[in-house]
Amino acid sequence: MGNINRDDMLELTRRMTLSRHCFSRIAGAYLDEDGFVEGTFNRHFQRLSPVDQKKNLEIAKEVPFAETNVELKEYAFRPEEMKPGGIWQMLMAMKESELKNDALLDVFYEYIGQKHRASGPYAVYLFYGSYDVPLQAKDKESLWESEEVYSFLICAVCPVTGDYEPGKPQSGFLFPAFRERSGDRGRIDVLKR
């Protein structure tokens, strides 16, 4: 387990406002307390109404905004998790497809349904985003040139009430981990409350 630099998380969350967010896609599923999928959705983020964009941005921000190294912890993938057919390969494929492969997402929802224990119905929200990481000068001032494009997934698992209204995420992740202003595909930041 590694330590997460809070400044890295703050850098990401500064890009999670209505005027300058970095998300292009949102997908998800609603599951019953036994982990069976009751419905799914997959939309282009920009096609959501401003009210829905704001509501979903609040859900996405909960993961990197969580208390660093307490609720949000960094884990390195074990070699067996990175073999063909492992969870790492699934996450990489989801990221590379930019959440546009519904069959792959269905497999992921089933995986979550098998692993996550809940006392009631819940929702799995997935966000795909990309962030043009600007170069920084030695004095930490941002330069206009891009250092890399950090493409990432945020997953938030939220209890739901009534008409599928999501509560505060109880678990989730940021993949790949954002370390030293760069993506680390061998690590994942996991939220557990």
Side-chain angles (χ1 to χ4, degrees):
M1 188 167 29
N3 277 333
I4 298 171
N5 181 334
R6 187 70 191 147
D7 288 340
D8 286 339
M9 295 301 103
L10 292 174
E11 182 173 350
L12 279 184
T13 55
R14 282 194 289 271
R15 305 303 180 274
M16 295 183 191
T17 66
L18 275 177
S19 61
R20 60 185 215 177
H21 68 80
C22 54
F23 295 117
S24 60
R25 194 140 207 98
I26 180 172
Y30 298 101
L31 294 88
D32 66 17
E33 58 273 2
D34 296 320
F36 293 106
V37 175
E38 295 185 333
T40 62
F41 60 92
N42 193 335
R43 308 249 343 243
H44 193 287
F45 200 86
Q46 295 292 353
R47 293 196 179 122
L48 297 175
S49 71
V51 170
D52 285 340
Q53 283 185 25
K54 184 175 183 349
K55 184 168 41 170
N56 286 297
L57 282 169
E58 293 304 314
I59 293 169
K61 282 196 290 193
E62 282 288 328
V63 174
F65 260 170
E67 192 175 353
T68 308
N69 301 311
V70 176
E71 293 178 328
L72 186 66
K73 296 181 180 179
E74 182 182 275
Y75 295 91
F77 285 97
R78 295 186 310 266
E80 62 270 15
E81 294 171 321
M82 298 178 83
K83 289 182 179 173
I87 186 65
W88 180 84
Q89 185 182 33
M90 185 186 314
L91 294 174
M92 285 298 294
M94 289 167 48
K95 182 177 82 72
E96 288 167 9
S97 74
E98 300 177 7
L99 299 180
K100 294 176 185 172
N101 183 331
D102 285 326
L104 181 60
L105 294 177
D106 288 342
V107 172
F108 178 75
Y109 302 141
E110 288 177 18
Y111 175 84
I112 294 293
Q114 292 169 2
K115 300 288 183 186
H116 183 74
R117 295 292 152 243
S119 59
Y122 60 97
V124 176
Y125 283 79
L126 287 166
F127 302 85
Y128 172 78
S130 59
Y131 168 45
D132 230 356
V133 182
L135 285 171
Q136 279 189 345
K138 290 187 186 204
D139 61 0
K140 302 244 183 198
E141 281 298 311
S142 181
L143 302 174
W144 291 107
E145 299 167 29
S146 176
E147 192 165 352
E148 76 170 272
V149 175
Y150 169 63
S151 299
F152 63 97
L153 299 174
I154 287 181
C155 175
V157 179
C158 310
V160 293
T161 57
D163 194 20
Y164 295 107
E165 278 300 312
K168 187 174 183 173
Q170 299 301 304
S171 58
F173 62 80
L174 168 66
F175 175 79
F178 190 59
R179 301 182 82 209
E180 298 175 10
R181 306 188 71 244
S182 182
D184 185 338
R185 300 180 337 166
R187 296 177 180 272
I188 186 169
D189 295 335
V190 177
L191 167 68
K192 288 183 187 176
R193 291 189 162 131

